[in-house]
Amino acid sequence: MATTAQLFEEPFDADEYIERLAWRTPGGGSKGGAEAFDPKRLLEEFENHIEELKQLDEKIQRRVEKLEHQCHREAKEFAHKVQDLQRSNQVAFQHFQELDEHISYVATKVCHLGDQLEGVNTPRQRAVEAQRLMTYFNEFLDGDLRSDVFNNPDKIKEAADIIQKLHLIAQELPFDRFADVKAKIASKYHDLERQLIQEFTVAQRRGEIGRMREVAAVLLHFKGAYIRNDVFEDTAVLCQRVNKQVGEVFSSPETVMAKLIQNIFENKLQAHVREKLDETRHSDVEQYLKNLYDLYTRTTALATKLTEFNLGSDKHTFLSKLIKSIFSSYLRNIQELKERIRQRTNLPLGPIIDTHGETFLSPELVVNLLQETRHAFERCHRLSDPSDLPKNAFSIFLLLVDHLCVEHIDYALEIGLSAIPSPDAKNANLYFLDVVQQANSIFHLFDKQFNDQLMPLISSSPKLAECLQKKKDVIEQMEVKLDTGIDRTINCMVGQMKHILATEQKKTDFRPEDENNVMIQYTAACSKVCAYVSRQVEHVRKSMDGKNVDTVLTELGVRFHRLIHEHLQQYSYSSMGGMLAICDVAEYRRCAKDFRVPLVLQLFDTLHALCNLLVVAPDNLKQVCSGEQLTNLDRNLLHAFVQLRVDYRSARLGRHFS
């Protein structure tokens, strides 16, 4: 049979191939019986067929070599094409980079040009606006409002914008020269305000929400509060009535409600309080105190009612500041009255429970006092006889110490100390650090004046030693009170943390009922404590300066660590509870990093290592206790932490410490 490559295609069976070859060879198969079998013929056929197979193999081999040669040639051609494409791509990429750099350059030029245009256009727009306002101001100055904007009812919105700006400008003008024009602008201001209120009222009665929204956007910038009878009752009723409509009309209803309440407090309510108290302030002290108590009580009750409205995220602080702005001067008078009574009767009065955030330090008063003292030193230098100059300068200095350091700073520190809550107080407001900050700033100004104005006048006289000693005594007296107040404030902070832990931490936190279903990263108590600590750290940084920051934060951090250390020893821990305790301590440690005090961070690192004893396998306990962070600790402390494990007895862990 003819030998071709197709005979060897898969599937190929060699036995079947031989059988088929023998069968087709005459005398090679079983056909015709044993007599017809011719082995020589079959051998000859096999030999011939083998030769054909050799020739076929050579033919196929030549074809394979030809194809391999062709493949190599095409591979080389393809490689050359790829290299050409890579070179083209590199060139294109370089062009792209150049184009990108050029685009960036052009963009920079465009931005620079835009900034220049804006720098030119903004002053131009301001100049145009100023010229326009001057034109309108001249009309009020002449008394003839010729512009259509003030006479056309359809342009009331534009007129309102102009009159608001003119009203602000008029407030800055001296009264003696511009009294007439200020009165005209104020009259027009209130006239437009009344017109807008009338339009708003008409739209409200008709239920035209769109028109109300449009008028309200203009009226929002006017100061108005419209209360008639009992100011406290009317305020509550007014806010209750308009609250829903404000929500429908304005896009930021909380801002509008807050502004409404602020205007009522700063205008109507403050005027009402001033009127009531001024009637008896000097004539009948007893009635004055009764009125003050009644007004303050009703104001705080009103503020409590107003908390039901949406006034923003921190409405309690907002309302407290409004109350403080009304009553701070009267409360300060109360403290002065208490001091006079104490001095005359020698009877101690109770501590001040809440100063509503008042520090009783006035930067304006301090600046004025130092300014007057500076003028006094200048007059002393110019007018005094050289022999009397040191003595006169020393007298002025004693007056400054008495009024600034004793009557102002020292008095504020006393009030601040008495206002610090006890460590057991809940939700206490800590204002003493604000007193520290302001007292620090004031004393820096005092020290600067001492060096700049006083020292040149007494530097060569015996009075220098007396001044330096007096200054040293004042500083030491203030530092004692500052240290006492800061220490009590830190105690109060720790008390707040202890209160959070006591109310938020549950025993089941560290012994969960389902050990396999604990999904939280750290407990709620840990989260709230860390948030509180972060706020206090930030408060300390704002209130202190220099090394005082590190000193106070070190003390706070050590007490914070001690509290957490003692707190963790109050619970027993399962395996999963121990892991959760480690997560809590890791979060406390992250919070401790905000202190930026190496000692505090080291303490929490050690506490974190101690908590690992709550979860380590019993067989590895001894090795962990000998680790780098725990090897120097007292073994009794290590044993105390291991005893907190629920498997302490069952796993016989006490044997590692015997």
Side-chain angles (χ1 to χ4, degrees):
M1 67 178 173
T3 303
T4 63
Q6 284 76 13
L7 294 173
F8 300 96
E9 293 180 355
E10 295 292 340
F12 175 74
D13 189 342
D15 293 338
E16 182 184 354
Y17 182 80
I18 297 298
E19 286 293 333
R20 193 162 62 248
L21 179 62
W23 182 78
R24 292 191 178 191
T25 302
S30 59
K31 185 168 59 177
E35 296 79 6
F37 179 71
D38 186 356
K40 291 183 179 180
R41 184 76 177 271
L42 184 59
L43 177 60
E44 182 182 352
E45 183 65 26
F46 277 169
E47 289 175 346
N48 292 335
H49 198 73
I50 288 172
E51 286 297 325
E52 291 179 3
L53 288 175
K54 288 181 179 179
Q55 294 174 3
L56 178 61
D57 179 63
E58 291 175 356
K59 181 180 178 181
I60 292 175
Q61 189 62 35
R62 287 193 299 272
R63 186 178 177 189
V64 168
E65 291 176 354
K66 181 180 179 181
L67 290 174
E68 285 181 347
H69 179 71
Q70 182 180 354
C71 182
H72 286 314
R73 186 179 70 254
E74 291 180 356
K76 289 182 179 179
E77 293 176 355
F78 181 75
H80 287 311
K81 288 183 180 179
V82 169
Q83 290 177 353
D84 292 340
L85 288 174
Q86 286 180 337
R87 284 192 292 270
S88 300
N89 182 63
Q90 189 173 6
V91 172
F93 182 72
Q94 290 177 349
H95 290 166
F96 174 77
Q97 284 186 320
E98 293 174 358
L99 181 61
D100 185 58
E101 292 175 358
H102 187 66
I103 291 174
S104 299
Y105 174 76
V106 173
T108 303
K109 287 292 186 182
V110 170
C111 291
H112 179 65
L113 181 60
D115 292 340
Q116 288 182 324
L117 289 175
E118 184 178 359
V120 172
N121 189 47
T122 301
R124 179 180 174 278
Q125 288 179 340
R126 290 175 180 171
V128 171
E129 178 68 12
Q131 183 183 21
R132 189 168 69 98
L133 290 175
M134 288 171 64
T135 302
Y136 294 128
F137 186 83
N138 284 334
E139 292 186 12
F140 280 97
L141 198 60
D142 297 338
D144 182 16
L145 299 181
R146 301 178 299 275
S147 298
D148 182 55
V149 68
F150 292 121
N151 301 306
N152 189 345
D154 296 332
K155 295 185 177 181
I156 189 172
K157 183 176 180 180
E158 184 180 352
D161 178 65
I162 294 170
I163 201 66
Q164 287 165 17
K165 294 175 181 177
L166 291 176
H167 188 256
L168 291 174
I169 294 172
Q171 291 177 352
E172 303 296 327
L173 298 176
F175 183 81
D176 53 346
R177 292 179 55 194
F178 296 95
D180 186 47
V181 69
K182 290 178 72 168
K184 293 176 182 177
I185 292 175
S187 175
K188 190 63 177 179
Y189 178 90
H190 295 302
D191 182 50
L192 286 173
E193 187 178 18
R194 281 194 299 272
Q195 293 180 37
L196 289 167
I197 293 168
Q198 289 174 359
E199 289 197 25
F200 190 90
T201 304
V202 172
Q204 182 188 25
R205 291 171 180 169
R206 294 177 179 174
E208 298 175 351
I209 299 299
R211 180 57 181 166
M212 289 173 64
R213 186 180 293 112
E214 181 182 345
V215 175
V218 181
L219 193 57
L220 183 63
H221 302 287
F222 285 85
K223 294 182 179 179
Y226 314 102
I227 298 177
R228 296 177 298 278
N229 303 317
D230 186 293
V231 66
F232 299 100
E233 291 296 329
D234 285 352
T235 299
V237 172
L238 174 65
C239 293
Q240 188 70 44
R241 188 174 70 246
V242 305
N243 181 53
K244 182 179 179 181
Q245 292 179 339
V246 166
E248 295 175 350
V249 173
F250 297 97
S251 58
S252 300
E254 67 279 1
T255 305
V256 177
M257 285 299 296
K259 186 172 181 62
L260 170 63
I261 291 172
Q262 181 180 359
N263 284 337
I264 293 174
F265 269 72
E266 292 180 351
N267 293 291
K268 294 296 181 181
L269 193 56
Q270 190 166 27
H272 177 73
V273 170
R274 188 185 302 113
E275 179 185 356
K276 290 291 184 182
L277 293 179
D278 286 350
E279 292 176 357
T280 55
R281 189 169 187 174
H282 302 291
S283 59
D284 189 343
V285 176
E286 183 179 359
Q287 187 60 42
Y288 167 76
L289 293 174
K290 289 180 180 179
N291 291 344
L292 178 59
Y293 173 79
D294 178 63
L295 290 168
Y296 186 81
T297 303
R298 297 191 68 185
T299 304
T300 53
L302 173 62
T304 303
K305 290 182 182 179
L306 296 178
T307 55
E308 68 181 66
F309 303 113
N310 183 11
L311 305 177
S313 59
D314 201 0
K315 54 187 174 184
H316 295 286
T317 302
F318 169 71
L319 291 170
S320 296
K321 287 183 177 179
L322 292 179
I323 295 174
K324 173 185 169 184
S325 67
I326 295 176
F327 289 98
S328 59
S329 61
Y330 301 107
L331 291 175
R332 190 180 299 113
N333 291 335
I334 290 294
Q335 309 311 326
E336 294 171 355
L337 183 59
K338 277 189 174 185
E339 181 63 19
R340 290 202 302 270
I341 294 173
R342 186 191 67 77
Q343 291 175 353
R344 292 183 182 182
T345 61
N346 200 26
L347 293 175
L349 297 178
I352 301 170
I353 302 302
D354 190 0
T355 61
H356 297 282
E358 176 61 54
T359 62
F360 296 96
L361 289 169
S362 171
E364 294 82 8
L365 185 148
V366 171
V367 170
N368 291 335
L369 188 57
L370 291 174
Q371 185 76 1
E372 289 294 330
T373 308
R374 183 175 70 84
H375 293 323
F377 282 132
E378 291 174 353
R379 290 191 296 270
C380 175
H381 183 216
R382 184 174 296 274
L383 301 176
S384 295
D385 187 89
S387 60
D388 295 332
L389 178 59
K391 181 183 67 174
N392 294 340
F394 181 68
S395 299
I396 296 173
F397 173 71
L398 291 179
L399 287 172
L400 178 64
V401 169
D402 187 49
H403 289 85
L404 178 63
C405 299
V406 178
E407 294 185 7
H408 195 60
I409 302 178
D410 191 69
Y411 170 77
L413 291 176
E414 287 286 352
I415 299 296
L417 283 171
S418 64
I420 298 175
S422 67
D424 299 328
K426 299 178 182 178
N427 300 321
N429 291 318
L430 303 177
Y431 295 118
F432 188 80
L433 291 179
D434 297 332
V435 179
V436 173
Q437 180 186 16
Q438 292 190 25
N440 232 351
S441 300
I442 292 171
F443 197 81
H444 284 321
L445 295 175
F446 168 78
D447 189 55
K448 186 176 187 305
Q449 185 168 83
F450 181 91
N451 294 323
D452 293 347
Q453 267 94 41
L454 178 61
M455 286 292 289
L457 304 181
I458 60 172
S459 58
S460 58
S461 74
K463 291 294 182 182
L464 175 61
E466 293 184 47
C467 287
L468 292 174
Q469 185 61 43
K470 183 67 176 178
K471 178 185 172 186
K472 180 182 176 183
D473 294 341
V474 170
I475 292 175
E476 289 177 351
Q477 186 179 12
M478 288 175 54
E479 284 180 346
V480 169
K481 294 182 179 179
L482 288 170
D483 291 342
T484 302
I486 292 172
D487 183 74
R488 289 171 57 185
T489 299
I490 293 176
N491 282 338
C492 192
M493 292 177 183
V494 175
Q496 291 291 100
M497 298 180 217
K498 188 180 295 185
H499 173 69
I500 294 172
L501 291 171
T503 55
E504 297 292 335
Q505 196 86 75
K506 302 177 180 60
K507 291 186 177 181
T508 55
D509 285 345
F510 303 117
R511 295 186 67 178
E513 297 177 359
D514 187 357
E515 290 280 327
N516 299 319
N517 193 28
V518 179
M519 305 299 293
I520 58 176
Q521 295 179 339
Y522 40 80
T523 62
C526 170
S527 176
K528 291 188 177 182
V529 167
C530 288
Y532 177 80
V533 171
S534 296
R535 290 197 301 271
Q536 301 312 315
V537 170
E538 186 65 24
H539 196 180
V540 170
R541 291 195 183 281
K542 290 181 179 178
S543 304
M544 306 284 177
D545 57 7
K547 295 182 179 179
N548 293 329
V549 176
D550 292 337
T551 302
V552 175
L553 289 182
T554 299
E555 185 61 26
L556 176 60
V558 169
R559 298 190 196 182
F560 175 34
H561 166 265
R562 186 185 306 133
L563 172 67
I564 300 302
H565 185 277
E566 294 172 356
H567 173 73
L568 291 174
Q569 291 183 309
Q570 299 175 14
Y571 301 88
S572 57
Y573 300 84
S574 64
S575 176
M576 184 55 67
M579 291 298 298
L580 195 55
I582 290 175
C583 293
D584 274 9
V585 174
E587 185 65 12
Y588 291 133
R589 184 172 60 176
R590 184 198 63 76
C591 181
K593 290 181 180 179
D594 294 340
F595 287 68
R596 303 174 198 165
V597 177
L599 173 63
V600 176
L601 189 57
Q602 181 183 351
L603 289 172
F604 277 93
D605 285 340
T606 304
L607 182 59
H608 189 267
L610 279 171
C611 287
N612 287 330
L613 299 177
L614 302 174
V615 297
V616 68
D619 295 336
N620 298 332
L621 187 60
K622 191 171 183 180
Q623 179 183 355
V624 173
C625 289
S626 303
E628 180 179 353
Q629 288 184 305
L630 301 180
T631 185
N632 295 325
L633 296 182
D634 188 352
R635 289 184 62 80
N636 292 329
L637 176 60
L638 303 180
H639 192 191
F641 258 80
V642 174
Q643 286 178 316
L644 301 176
R645 294 173 56 144
V646 295
D647 63 345
Y648 174 76
R649 295 186 182 278
S650 61
R652 298 177 58 242
L653 300 180
R655 56 191 169 87
H656 295 289
F657 299 90
S658 59

